[in-house]
Amino acid sequence: MFELTEKEIMILNSKQGLKSLLSQREINLEKSIRNIRYEKELKKLQIELLKLQAWLQTSNKKVIIIFEGRDSAGKGGAIRRITQFLNPRHLKTVALPKPTKEENERWYFQRYIYHFPKAGEMLFFDRSWYNRAIVEPVNGFCTDQEYTQFMNEVNNFERMLVNENSILIKVYFSISKEEQQKRFTGIQNNPLKKWKYSVVDSKAQGLWESYTHYKKEMFAKTNTDYAPWKVIKANRKGSARIEVIKHILHTIPYSEEK
């Protein structure tokens, strides 16, 4: 039996606690306490993100944050929590569709460079050029030669970004095969979210080991000292969001403006 501490009882007796309990079909005290603590910590971190953004306006730095991970890993939801209260005039979120024929004829990185931030801005990529490291070869969307060329060029490309006054943060949201299937089922059963389930998603479980192989290759070859990967365990969405915000705040050397 779940025993409550005096502090936990106070949390549940608060306005937030009662609201959380009443919103549940089946009362789960642990879940309610966890959600309230998550919301409180999230708010504190979102205030820090506002301080970071204010610092960015005077630092002349450019921030590029890449979110990678398996389908339904929670990348988009994390980006929404990060940007929720930030000034939209100084940030951009990019989730590019399948490249056009014209884009395929250009240098691979060009379609991403077009969206790069100006000084004082933050850019969030919900999937990035690393599509070519995992999603494209797994699903046969690129040739072996194109894959090899990308893997030979990407580190130098990122070194140039860092040398040009950009802060590059790369995060990978990691979920289990069982959790991915659970989320896919939830999306398919929700009429408001069915549009999220794509042909690529429908093949993801069957191609799980292939994704794993290319993921390991990506980490082995592109986890550099100037652009390292941060792996976020994302089976619990709330914990993943908190961890990634903390990582961003820790990585960017911001200071509060007086």
Side-chain angles (χ1 to χ4, degrees):
M1 183 177 178
F2 178 55
E3 295 184 6
L4 297 172
T5 65
E6 185 175 343
K7 187 174 181 180
E8 289 170 338
I9 292 172
M10 290 178 64
I11 290 173
L12 291 172
N13 279 331
S14 67
K15 184 178 179 180
Q16 281 182 307
L18 293 172
K19 184 178 179 181
S20 176
L21 288 171
L22 291 171
S23 67
Q24 298 178 30
R25 290 184 179 180
E26 295 182 12
I27 300 298
N28 185 322
L29 300 182
E30 282 187 273
K31 183 178 180 181
S32 291
I33 292 168
R34 189 168 63 243
N35 288 345
I36 293 164
R37 286 174 170 164
Y38 159 72
E39 292 293 343
K40 285 185 176 180
E41 186 166 14
L42 178 64
K43 185 176 180 181
K44 286 168 56 179
L45 294 174
Q46 287 173 328
I47 291 171
E48 289 301 312
L49 286 168
L50 285 166
K51 295 176 185 178
L52 186 157
Q53 191 179 45
W55 169 83
L56 200 58
Q57 303 307 301
T58 59
S59 70
N60 208 38
K61 289 283 188 180
K62 294 165 281 189
V63 174
I64 301 172
I65 306 178
I66 289 173
F67 283 75
E68 293 292 338
R70 295 181 190 264
D71 298 311
S72 201
K75 302 178 292 296
I79 293 172
R80 285 192 292 275
R81 297 311 182 282
I82 294 167
T83 61
Q84 187 174 4
F85 298 108
L86 296 179
N87 187 336
R89 290 191 293 271
H90 303 294
L91 67 85
K92 183 162 49 173
T93 298
V94 176
L96 295 182
K98 181 180 177 180
T100 64
K101 182 176 181 296
E102 185 179 357
E103 286 175 328
N104 277 329
E105 293 171 352
R106 298 173 180 168
W107 183 44
Y108 178 72
F109 295 98
Q110 190 168 341
R111 70 192 300 247
Y112 297 98
I113 293 172
Y114 174 79
H115 298 279
F116 277 6
K118 297 180 290 188
E121 292 183 343
M122 301 177 73
L123 169 63
F124 299 85
F125 273 120
D126 186 349
R127 292 203 183 280
S128 67
W129 45 87
Y130 280 102
N131 271 336
R132 182 142 293 180
I134 302 179
V135 176
E136 290 189 18
V138 168
N139 291 278
F141 297 157
C142 69
T143 65
D144 290 343
Q145 181 181 350
E146 287 170 333
Y147 167 77
T148 300
Q149 183 177 346
F150 169 83
M151 296 299 283
N152 288 336
E153 292 179 349
V154 63
N155 288 343
N156 288 334
F157 173 70
E158 292 177 353
R159 185 188 290 275
M160 286 190 293
L161 292 183
V162 174
N163 289 343
E164 287 295 322
N165 212 32
S166 292
I167 297 173
L168 177 61
I169 298 175
K170 303 189 302 192
V171 295
Y172 184 93
F173 273 41
S174 178
I175 58 173
S176 67
K177 187 175 184 180
E178 294 73 23
E179 180 63 21
Q180 185 188 57
Q181 182 57 62
K182 178 182 173 182
R183 293 184 187 182
F184 281 160
T185 301
I187 290 170
Q188 290 174 291
N189 292 336
N190 188 332
L192 298 176
K193 293 183 177 181
K194 280 186 176 181
W195 62 271
K196 292 184 176 183
Y197 192 71
S198 68
V199 174
V200 172
D201 292 337
S202 69
K203 298 177 181 178
Q205 288 273 295
L207 294 170
W208 184 270
E209 294 305 325
S210 184
Y211 274 101
T212 299
H213 165 75
Y214 281 101
K215 178 188 72 173
K216 289 179 178 179
E217 287 294 304
M218 180 185 75
F219 287 150
K221 295 182 180 180
T222 67
N223 187 44
T224 60
D225 56 351
Y226 51 88
W229 282 101
K230 172 66 175 179
V231 178
I232 305 288
K233 293 182 179 180
N235 274 2
R236 279 193 175 177
K237 292 181 180 180
S239 299
R241 291 164 184 170
I242 295 298
E243 186 177 355
V244 73
I245 295 175
K246 286 182 175 180
H247 176 63
I248 291 169
L249 293 170
H250 176 75
T251 304
I252 301 175
Y254 76 101
S255 58
E256 185 175 356
E257 293 296 313
K258 303 296 183 181

